[in-house]
Amino acid sequence: GENVEQHPSTLSVQEGDSAVIKCTYSDSASNYFPWYKQELGKGPQLIIDIRSNVGEKKDQRIAVTLNKTAKHFSLHITETQPEDSAVYFCAATSSGGSYIPTFGRGTSLIVHP
Amino acid sequence: EAQVTQNPRYLITVTGKKLTVTCSQNMNHEYMSWYRQDPGLGLRQIYYSMNVEVTDKGDVPEGYKVSRKEKRNFPLILESPSPNQTSLYFCASSVTGYSGNTIYFGEGSWLTVV
């Protein structure tokens, strides 16, 4: 089955800096890669996603890049703000069969004012 | 408002006392799922349901049961809870069970088994 590795487990940055979270996956059939943000006391919420036919996608201060050859994808947050502090999960899903996403173990991002 | 609602949000129970965590979604989604979240382990899927009366095991199904008699509801049953089931549980739903659909999560249920 699919295996998703996510790094780092904890990331501490100063407000205004950029933050990068990286994930690798093992199943070459995976074709959809969402990123979820979990704020304290809440459930994860989709913030951005990318499909395997696209190399990069941006939405304001966040962007995701995908390297299919190397089987890795990354979340980039620019001009970080304290409200970006949360746990971020990457996931990978396969094109075949049922939708059973495999999640990374999460990255706790702390943005210091 | 589109949402996934789970209850209770917080529960302390004793070993062996059966409990049910309810989950309901108002988006007419076919796919529903349960996850548990533990420190350092991320989100692990317990059970999922592709549609009414269709359920299947996820990665960590031992000690849990589910049923899907109605499209909107997907309760999680712990027949005989044990301390290793102390965790944060999330119910989730999606339009269908196929790749590319956004998963919507509930707010979570903190369960402590003593």
Side-chain angles (χ1 to χ4, degrees):
Chain A
E2 176 66 276
N3 182 47
V4 176
E5 299 283 340
Q6 182 172 348
H7 298 280
S9 57
T10 305
L11 180 58
S12 183
V13 300
Q14 287 296 128
E15 183 176 0
D17 287 350
S18 294
V20 180
I21 302 170
K22 299 181 179 181
C23 290
T24 61
Y25 62 99
S26 60
D27 187 355
S28 57
S30 290
N31 68 342
Y32 176 64
F33 306 91
W35 285 87
Y36 286 82
K37 176 184 181 182
Q38 183 182 19
E39 296 178 342
L40 196 62
K42 301 202 168 182
Q45 188 170 13
L46 179 73
I47 55 171
I48 195 167
D49 55 14
I50 191 167
R51 297 175 193 274
S52 58
N53 59 347
V54 175
E56 183 176 1
K57 184 177 179 181
K58 287 184 180 180
D59 183 3
Q60 299 182 346
R61 293 187 298 107
I62 60 173
V64 57
T65 59
L66 171 65
N67 183 325
K68 284 176 58 180
T69 303
K71 296 200 193 104
H72 66 72
F73 56 113
S74 300
L75 178 70
H76 304 253
I77 306 174
T78 59
E79 300 173 24
T80 54
Q81 301 167 4
E83 52 264 38
D84 294 330
S85 296
V87 177
Y88 292 81
F89 291 98
C90 63
T93 65
S94 178
S95 58
S98 62
Y99 180 69
I100 305 180
T102 301
F103 285 89
R105 295 190 173 190
T107 296
S108 177
L109 173 64
I110 304 165
V111 180
H112 299 280
Chain B
E1 180 188 354
Q3 58 187 5
V4 179
T5 304
Q6 39 183 123
N7 283 293
R9 294 288 315 280
Y10 305 91
L11 179 65
I12 300 175
T13 190
V14 296
T15 299
K17 184 176 181 182
K18 180 180 178 180
L19 69 92
T20 299
V21 186
T22 64
C23 175
S24 180
Q25 49 93 5
N26 63 359
M27 296 170 279
N28 201 36
H29 285 172
E30 291 183 354
Y31 177 86
M32 297 187 75
S33 179
W34 277 102
Y35 292 85
R36 61 179 288 174
Q37 184 178 10
D38 302 288
L41 297 178
L43 293 162
R44 294 183 294 167
Q45 191 174 51
I46 303 170
Y47 269 94
Y48 66 96
S49 169
M50 296 290 280
N51 214 324
V52 176
E53 302 291 3
V54 181
T55 63
D56 209 343
K57 296 177 181 179
D59 297 322
V60 288
E62 294 78 20
Y64 305 94
K65 284 177 57 177
V66 293
S67 67
R68 186 93 181 273
K69 298 190 187 309
E70 305 167 282
K71 198 170 188 180
R72 64 183 293 124
N73 295 324
F74 190 45
L76 179 69
I77 303 159
L78 285 72
E79 292 270 3
S80 183
S82 62
N84 65 8
Q85 292 179 296
T86 292
S87 187
L88 174 59
Y89 291 87
F90 288 103
C91 181
S93 73
S94 184
V95 173
T96 72
Y98 297 99
S99 182
N101 290 303
T102 301
I103 297 178
Y104 295 87
F105 287 87
E107 299 263 281
S109 294
W110 285 96
L111 172 64
T112 301
V113 183
V114 297

